[in-house]
Amino acid sequence: MEEQLLATATVGKTHGVNGFLRINSLSGEYEHLLKLDSCLLKTKDGKQVAVTIEDVKVHSSDILFKFVGYDAPEKSRFLSGSVMYIPRNKAPRLKKGEYYIADLIGLNLVYDSKTLGTVEYLSDGAQGLYLNVRDINGNLKIIPNIPQFVSKPDFEKKEITLLIKELMD
């Protein structure tokens, strides 16, 4: 079974003349990033690039990565805007009550004990994250993942309870 990768950071602008890039943690935690030796980057144009981390520097409040083969800002610039994916076992440990956003994918959306659909993917929106749910008729519905509309996920039951049924109409 292929290990699940989690989005953990974004790649920012270049820094200096040696190809270093600024790294921005999605969780606000950086310690796990300092221990990485490789990762997968998904570029803005959808390409997947497996990279080896050659060097890591902490400069002021920035974390800077230099990837093997990206020795100049002109070459590294291609990676700016990428999302960094790492294996789950290299991600920060979760505290009680926390979960990885990726864990919502595949959960059933239920209302009054009836399954209405399954979370296929998540997207960003003005109010936060949106659950993109495929309903039982095959239609895609978008549900804000906020407490007014859905419960906290129940990972044992593999479901999220919808609080306002009309959101699926």
Side-chain angles (χ1 to χ4, degrees):
M1 182 171 120
E2 185 178 315
E3 185 172 15
Q4 182 186 25
L5 298 176
L6 298 174
T8 193
T10 58
V11 179
K13 295 181 179 183
T14 60
H15 178 87
V17 296
N18 295 318
F20 278 90
L21 289 153
R22 288 178 177 85
I23 303 299
N24 308 301
S25 172
L26 294 174
S27 68
E29 296 183 36
Y30 285 87
E31 191 172 321
H32 68 289
L33 297 173
L34 300 174
K35 299 174 186 174
L36 294 175
D37 54 10
S38 64
C39 62
L40 179 74
L41 300 179
K42 291 188 182 178
T43 64
K44 291 184 288 192
D45 59 358
K47 293 182 180 156
Q48 294 186 12
V49 181
V51 292
T52 300
I53 299 164
E54 181 178 320
D55 196 6
V56 178
K57 291 183 180 180
V58 179
H59 176 74
S60 188
S61 62
D62 293 325
I63 301 290
L64 307 173
F65 276 23
K66 183 175 184 324
F67 299 111
V68 172
Y70 294 87
D71 298 323
E74 296 77 20
K75 190 163 186 182
S76 295
R77 197 169 289 122
F78 164 73
L79 300 175
S80 290
S82 297
V83 176
M84 179 185 294
Y85 288 82
I86 63 172
R88 179 181 285 272
N89 66 358
K90 295 192 183 243
R93 292 205 179 272
L94 296 173
K95 296 178 181 103
K96 186 175 178 149
E98 292 182 328
Y99 57 88
Y100 296 117
I101 296 301
D103 293 337
L104 297 175
I105 297 170
L107 295 183
N108 289 323
L109 186 69
V110 299
Y111 181 83
D112 197 25
S113 301
K114 294 179 186 148
T115 299
L116 303 177
T118 303
V119 178
E120 279 195 1
Y121 63 95
L122 294 112
S123 56
D124 287 321
Q127 296 176 318
L129 280 177
Y130 288 102
L131 305 172
N132 293 264
V133 177
R134 184 74 56 189
D135 71 14
I136 57 175
N137 297 316
N139 300 311
L140 191 64
K141 304 289 184 169
I142 299 173
I143 308 295
N145 186 34
I146 56 176
Q148 295 92 317
F149 301 127
V150 295
S151 69
K152 289 186 177 183
D154 184 332
F155 292 107
E156 287 182 21
K157 291 183 178 179
K158 297 185 179 185
E159 65 185 30
I160 300 172
T161 300
L162 182 65
L163 303 176
I164 301 174
K165 185 176 186 302
E166 290 76 18
L167 291 172
M168 286 294 285
D169 293 340

